[in-house]
Amino acid sequence: MVKKRVLSLLLCAALLPLSGCAAMLERGRETSTTHVDYAVTEDESILRAETYQGLVNAMLYFVSGHRTGGTIRLYNYTGDVEADLANARDEVMYDDPLGAYSVRALTYDATRILTYYEVELRIAYARSAQEVDALREVTGLAGVRQELKRLVAGQEASATFLASYFSGDRELLEQLLLLACYSAPELSWHHDVSSREIVLYPETGTRRVIEARLTWSRGAAEVAAEEREYAQQLETAAAALLEANPPAGESYTVEELADIVRAAAGGADSAGTPLALYALTGEPASDFGLLMAMEYLCQQCGIEVEPVNGGQGLWLIVAARPGYRHLLPQELRPIEGEEDQEEPPPPLKLYTDQELRAQGYEWPASLHPACEDYDASKAVSPLFDSGADPEEAAFW
C-alpha cells in the first residue's frame, strides 16, 4: 500500500513539476497550450500567466484579437497583483502601438480563488477590427518615406501604418510629409495644405502606429479633380517645351533643363506664380514656382531629383553628370536682358555639400544623398532605398 502511494505521488510530481497535484485538481478539465510567458487554455477566453510579463502579454493577446473581454488566471504569482494590473493596463494602452492606437478603455476586476487570482478584463475600442487589420507594416526611415509618398501620390486624405525600427518624432514626420508633397510638382493643392497633422501611437519608441492626415480648405474630391486637370495641362506644356528644345546629346542634361526653365519663365518675382505650369508658360514666377518647374522637367526626363527644405528655404538636389549636386533657386531665375545679350549666359552653378556649407547653408543631410566629388554610380540615395535605412541610427 505504501509503495502504491509513493508511486502515485512520484507520477503526480513528474506530470506537474510547476503547479503540483492540487492545481490540477482545482483546474478540473482545463488544458493549455504554452506561449511566451502565458498559456491559452482550451477556452480561448481564459489565459494563464505566472509573471508580470506574462500578464502584459495576456492582455495584448486579447487586444490583438480585438476581443471585448477575457479572463486571466495568475498562478504562483509573487508580485503585487493590484499594482501590476494597473501598470500592465497602462503599458498596453499607452506603450504598445496597437493598444495605444485601438483601445479606448481597459478595465478589470481581480478575485482571489484559493491558489490563484482570477482577473476579468473588459475592453472597449476606439478603432474597428477592420481598421487594425488594414494597417500596413513598414520598416525604418525608408519605409516611412515610402508610405508618405504613397499618401501624396494617391491623393489620399490620410494614411495610417505601423512603423518598426523608426524612432523619429512628429517634427521629422511633418518634414518628411512636406518633402513628399514637394516631390509631386503636378499636385498643386498639395503644396499649400492648410493642415498637415501627424499623430503617433505611442509618442516615443521604435515601433509605433503613425497616422498622417491632410486637409484642404475645399473638399477632397474637388481638389483631386482640379489636380488631375492641372497635371494634364502641365504635362502638355512641358512636352511642347521639350519638343521645341531638343537635347544636344541622347538625353537632357540638368544644365539644358535649367536653360529651358529660365527661358520659359516671364521673369523672377517673389510675388509671382508658385505653380510649375505658369512658370513654364511665360508668367513671372517665384523661386518656388521655378523649383517646381525644374523638378517636373527632371522627372519627365528621367533625371533623379528631390526637394531639400533647409534653413535657407527650399532648393533641389539633382543627379548631374559629376554626381548628386545642390541646385539653388537663384540659378533658375531668368537673367534680365538675356535675350539681348550676344554672349552666352553664365554656366549653371551646382554645389557639393562642402561648397554649400561653406556658404552657411544648413539642411538635414541624413535625409538626402551626399553631394560629393565621386562617381555618381556609387552614390546611394536614401530617397530611393526600398529597404531599411542604415543611416537612421546615425541620424538619431
Side-chain angles (χ1 to χ4, degrees), residues 234 237-238 241 260-261 264-265 275-282 293-294 296-297:
L234 178 58
L241 276 176
I260 292 175
V261 172
L275 300 179
L277 171 62
Y278 304 123
L280 293 177
T281 53
M294 180 65 182
Y296 186 78
L297 290 183

Side-chain angles (χ1 to χ4, degrees), residues 368-379:
H368 302 284
C371 300
E372 304 290 350
D373 284 322
Y374 51 61
D375 186 354
S377 65
K378 298 179 182 178

